[in-house]
Amino acid sequence: MLAPRFAEGFEELPFTFLRKSYEEGDLEGYQLLYICTDDHVLNRRIKEHAGSIGIFASVCDAPALCDFTSPAIFKQDNLTISVATDGKEVKRAIAIRNRIQELIENGTLQID
């Protein structure tokens, strides 16, 4: 993860952290990118650079700029359920995924 600063709790995640501002050379060697800053102009600049060097990118809160979106996923044993909204209603996809998980875990929805 690359950023000049990270929100509290991020550094507990199992990633490598680099504290710095974005520069074009930072994308070398990557094939997939999640762009998640609170600066929409910077997000677009990073996305344009990524596209120019063949990197697929997903831009947080900007589905029109995304090459891909990520679904909300629930996994249990050999079962995987994903809910996607093409990046347009992320909170709704998460809520639906959470409801499905709740129904399975409390036994209301039986998967045989």
Side-chain angles (χ1 to χ4, degrees):
M1 297 182 82
L2 180 142
R5 65 189 182 290
F6 297 98
E8 186 176 328
F10 265 70
E11 293 185 66
E12 296 171 19
L13 297 171
F15 299 109
T16 300
F17 293 86
L18 184 58
R19 264 195 174 77
K20 67 182 281 303
S21 296
Y22 169 75
E23 298 175 82
E24 286 191 359
D26 294 329
L27 300 184
E28 289 181 28
Y30 293 93
Q31 297 173 344
L32 190 68
L33 182 65
Y34 286 91
I35 304 168
C36 307
T37 80
D38 58 359
D39 181 336
H40 298 293
V41 173
L42 176 59
N43 288 350
R44 182 178 290 276
R45 192 175 110 221
I46 296 170
K47 166 60 174 111
E48 288 171 358
H49 179 234
S52 75
I53 59 174
I55 298 174
F56 290 103
S58 180
V59 183
C60 181
D61 296 333
L65 295 179
C66 294
D67 298 315
F68 66 94
T69 59
S70 296
I73 298 173
F74 168 66
K75 292 181 84 160
Q76 182 183 67
D77 302 322
N78 294 325
L79 175 69
T80 301
I81 297 172
S82 65
V83 180
T85 61
D86 294 333
K88 295 179 180 158
E89 294 187 64
V90 174
K91 290 180 181 178
R92 185 173 182 211
I94 292 169
I96 292 168
R97 184 265 329 260
N98 290 348
R99 182 67 176 133
I100 291 168
Q101 179 177 349
E102 177 185 315
L103 292 170
I104 290 170
E105 289 178 345
N106 73 18
T108 302
L109 180 60
Q110 295 290 322
I111 307 296
D112 297 325

